[in-house]
Amino acid sequence: MSRIYLAPMEGLADALLRDLITRTGGYDGAVCQFVRVSGTSLPSRTFRRVCPELEHGSRTPSGTPVSVQLLGSNPELMGETAARLARLSPCGIDLNFGCPATTVNRHGGGAMLLDDPGLLQRIAEAVRRAVPVAIPVTAKMRLGICDTARTLDCAAALQAGGVAALVVHARTKDEGYRPPAHWEWIARVREAVSIPVIANGEIWSLADYVRCREVSGCADVMIGRGAVADPFLTRRIRTGDDGDLMKDWAQLSPLLQEFWQRVQLCVMARHAPGRLKLWLSLLQRGYPQAAALYERIRACNDIGAVSSALAAATVLE
Ligand SMILES: Cc1cc2nc3c(=O)[nH]c(=O)nc-3n(C[C@H](O)[C@H](O)[C@H](O)COP(=O)(O)O)c2cc1C
């Protein structure tokens, strides 16, 4: 049976959304957004803020295991940080070699490291050495910075560094999030290493899932934006039945309403509408009702008006 993981998404999939998405079932694991490791040693509260699931056995409320992701370029500091994080018993520690953000890359973190397989290996080794064997250390990489010249070297270096599995987001840093994802390159990585390779990039539907597995030859996948755009995607995948998104709005409605209530408790009032709009902007890909609601509240930042529009658009139980 294929394993399906929920991808880390800084600024999009926080603990609240991870809770709602994994609650719909079908996820074997999730990775939380990255914790930046640069310079100073991080207190436990930083890990707990990024990954509140650490307080609950490193699992979402529905029981999905959550790994914590570290992003940094200094092997020694990464090792020390991982050792401190390990004391909080995360289900896993993941290493980020894919972030394309300029602020992160300027400090030599994320995807910029894909130019230096030796450094990738040293980081993986330092982290692996620093944490108990019971905690899996995994890595997530893009294909390269601007081309695929070193893709296989990077994958081999991470394997040599001791990572237990490798997620490959099948694009270079320069390709950002532009389709297509080069699933055929995941196949090349899979053939070059002996550790499990997890395919990632552009899985939005059951058909994408099937094609991605066919082309990459990977059993397991990680889904990012597609999981936010369609919280019932794993059900479609697990049952092999696309169902009817129009009808699924009735099941999505209570999730949206809960999201709206809880997001107002987590963020300042002026930021709450933006968070709802962010989710709706992805939901509108498949749900016409979400598109209509998004259009209605797009220019609105008033909590009361957003609440009324949401109540009118969603199906009350
Ligand atoms: C808003 C956003 C934030 C992201 N943050 C992270 C992150 O913190 N760590 C990481 O490894 N990848 C991050 N990614 C990349 C995703 O995990 C994933 O690799 C990428 O979106 C491709 O998968 P998808 O096409 O299924 O979305 C982020 C992507 C998005 C869209």
Side-chain angles (χ1 to χ4, degrees), residues 7-10 12 33-34 69 96 140 169 171 177 200-202 223-225:
M9 284 173 284
E10 218 287 300
L12 179 61
Q33 68 274 31
F34 66 81
Q69 189 182 64
N96 179 319
K140 181 163 175 288
H169 174 191
R171 274 182 275 246
Y177 294 96
N200 172 240
E202 295 300 316
I223 307 180
R225 293 160 302 163

Side-chain angles (χ1 to χ4, degrees), residues 71-188:
L71 182 154
S73 56
N74 178 321
E76 204 184 349
L77 198 56
M78 288 286 278
E80 281 167 20
T81 308
R84 216 167 8 252
L85 168 58
R87 284 187 223 128
L88 305 177
S89 304
C91 282
I93 296 180
D94 188 59
L95 305 174
N96 179 319
F97 301 115
C99 183
T102 324
T103 41
V104 164
N105 290 172
R106 212 182 299 130
H107 297 95
M112 283 319 276
L113 303 185
L114 295 169
D115 221 10
D116 190 346
L119 180 56
L120 295 195
Q121 182 170 340
R122 290 197 298 284
I123 293 171
E125 276 167 357
V127 170
R128 184 58 282 173
R129 234 188 348 258
V131 303
V133 274
I135 299 178
V137 175
T138 54
K140 181 163 175 288
M141 63 177 277
R142 283 188 181 242
L143 298 179
I145 298 177
C146 53
D147 59 32
T148 50
R150 313 197 86 168
T151 311
L152 301 183
D153 293 341
C154 287
L158 288 167
Q159 169 169 269
V163 305
L166 184 60
V167 179
V168 179
H169 174 191
R171 274 182 275 246
T172 63
K173 174 191 101 61
D174 288 356
E175 287 171 329
Y177 294 96
R178 276 191 312 280
H182 310 287
W183 295 329
E184 68 284 0
W185 260 97
I186 307 179
R188 297 191 60 176

Side-chain angles (χ1 to χ4, degrees), residues 5-14 16-18 20-22 24 27 203-205 222-234 236 245 249 252 255-256 259 275-287 290:
Y5 299 95
L6 178 62
M9 284 173 284
E10 218 287 300
L12 179 61
D14 59 0
L16 170 53
L17 215 45
R18 285 196 293 273
L20 297 177
I21 291 172
T22 57
T24 61
Y27 287 95
I203 298 178
W204 297 92
S205 64
M222 177 176 271
I223 307 180
R225 293 160 302 163
V228 180
D230 182 6
F232 306 117
L233 181 53
T234 50
R236 301 181 211 292
L245 269 77
W249 181 250
L252 186 53
L255 293 182
L256 268 169
F259 177 82
R275 292 288 307 277
L276 180 64
K277 288 179 214 174
L278 187 59
W279 192 12
L280 286 172
S281 70
L282 276 164
L283 288 171
Q284 68 172 344
R285 284 179 69 109
Y287 293 89

